[in-house]
Amino acid sequence: DANRYGRGRIARYRPEIGPPAPAMRALEPDLRSAARFEQLHLVFQPKVRCADGAIVGAEGLLRWRHPEHGLIGPDQFIPLAEETLIIEQIGGFVLGAACKAARAIKNAGFDMTVAINVSARQFGQPAFIERFWRAMKQYDLEPERFEIEISELSMHPSRDDMAGALEALRAIGFRLILDDFGRGQTSLAFLAGLPFDGMTIDRSFVAGIGHSSTAERMIGGALKLADELGLETIAEGVETEAQFAFVRERRCAFAQGFLLSPPVELDDFLALVRRSPFLGPASPS
Ligand code: C2E
Ligand code: MG
Ligand code: MG
Ligand code: MG
């Protein structure tokens, strides 16, 4: 049962089918104005400490509520947004929404991190850093509270400037997470030279637990690598007790997934942590 510890009654925000890829292109003008028309919003998925089930953070995930096509997931519109540079506007919206959420969580009395997802195109830009800084100051927040997740898929192993852009973010105090580890082509040498604080293990590997020895070996290898590089680890896409037990036993530090909670509206996230700051079978509550 997905959302087993999410305590029901919470609106699900799994992206729906949405328009097919070619039709997406026709939505470019709509996407351009989506932020202005308040059709974009972030939903938040808890990040849970495996050892005790404590909710230690929230990851903001973007949703587009299109007036005709309904809820459209980021996998469908982020590629178009990147191609058309609309990502810069959207990224600005995400920064603001993440800061707002971090402030609400802090005001509610919880000390948690807020993670945002950014594409390589965004984080390399000085304007991105300035904008993030201004938004943080506006909400009286510190960079240590934020995690910036960069998908391995958007990393370009040949580009030296990636390392420089990451160093700049790290120097400010942001925490850096390599997202979707195992899906891209990052070489060990390249990864070892980058200033990441953690990595997520892609959900395609987590999905293979129990029936794919390749996936299981991949997870074991990733955890070992992370340990050697001093990176924290987050298993994503944990949907079953067996998957959670597998990653917990191998000392993966954190987990996210429908078993614990799907992404939810900010108010529901706050309600969830107020009810209990713990989720999952290891939970002391
Ligand atoms: P991600 O950062 O790896 O986020 C995890 C994705 O897995 C999310 O999909 C989440 O809803 C989904 N998920 C979480 N738990 C489970 C589970 O137990 N089972 C399954 N099957 N899925 C689970 P979502 O929200 O559709 O986001 C997809 C990707 O879009 C994200 O992957 C991220 O790379 C990107 N994205 C999301 N928000 C933003 C954003 O604000 N900016 C940018 N540039 N990219 C974003
Ligand atoms: Mg992510
Ligand atoms: Mg991921
Ligand atoms: Mg994540």
Side-chain angles (χ1 to χ4, degrees), residues 13 23 40 44 49 54 65 74-75 86 97 102-103 106 122 139 151 154 190 210 225 228 241 272:
Y13 281 92
L40 296 179
F44 295 88
R49 188 162 60 214
R65 206 189 297 278
D75 282 336
I86 302 174
R103 175 37 66 195
K106 201 173 172 185
Q122 291 172 274
Y139 287 96
S151 176
S154 73
F190 184 65
L225 173 67
E228 270 156 28
E241 301 272 6
L272 194 78

Side-chain angles (χ1 to χ4, degrees), residues 62-135:
L62 197 56
R63 297 293 179 264
W64 179 14
R65 206 189 297 278
H66 190 279
E68 289 152 52
H69 299 280
L71 206 58
I72 306 178
D75 282 336
Q76 286 171 280
F77 65 86
I78 293 288
L80 176 65
E82 285 183 347
E83 223 177 281
T84 55
L85 302 184
I86 302 174
I87 193 69
E88 286 170 28
Q89 265 168 272
I90 292 179
F93 164 81
V94 171
L95 297 182
C99 288
K100 222 170 171 170
R103 175 37 66 195
I105 292 168
K106 201 173 172 185
N107 286 351
F110 299 102
D111 186 21
M112 291 182 185
T113 56
V114 171
I116 62 166
N117 293 280
V118 301
S119 55
R121 194 189 286 283
Q122 291 172 274
F123 79 81
Q125 304 209 328
F128 168 78
I129 300 182
E130 275 165 40
R131 229 165 150 176
F132 206 161
W133 186 259
R134 273 203 309 273

Side-chain angles (χ1 to χ4, degrees), residues 1-6 12-15 45 203 237-240 256-263:
D1 177 21
N3 191 21
R4 169 114 183 242
Y5 304 100
R12 297 281 176 98
Y13 281 92
R14 299 194 199 184
Q45 184 171 38
R203 67 174 191 256
V238 173
E239 296 184 353
T240 68
Q256 290 179 296
F258 295 159
L259 174 75
L260 301 157
S261 168

Side-chain angles (χ1 to χ4, degrees), residues 19-31 64 66 69 80:
M24 236 2 265
R25 194 156 290 282
L27 297 184
E28 182 184 329
D30 294 14
L31 186 58
W64 179 14
H66 190 279
H69 299 280
L80 176 65

Side-chain angles (χ1 to χ4, degrees), residues 212-226:
S212 162
S213 58
T214 309
E216 290 183 354
R217 274 201 301 271
M218 178 69 206
I219 294 170
L223 291 174
K224 197 161 165 248
L225 173 67

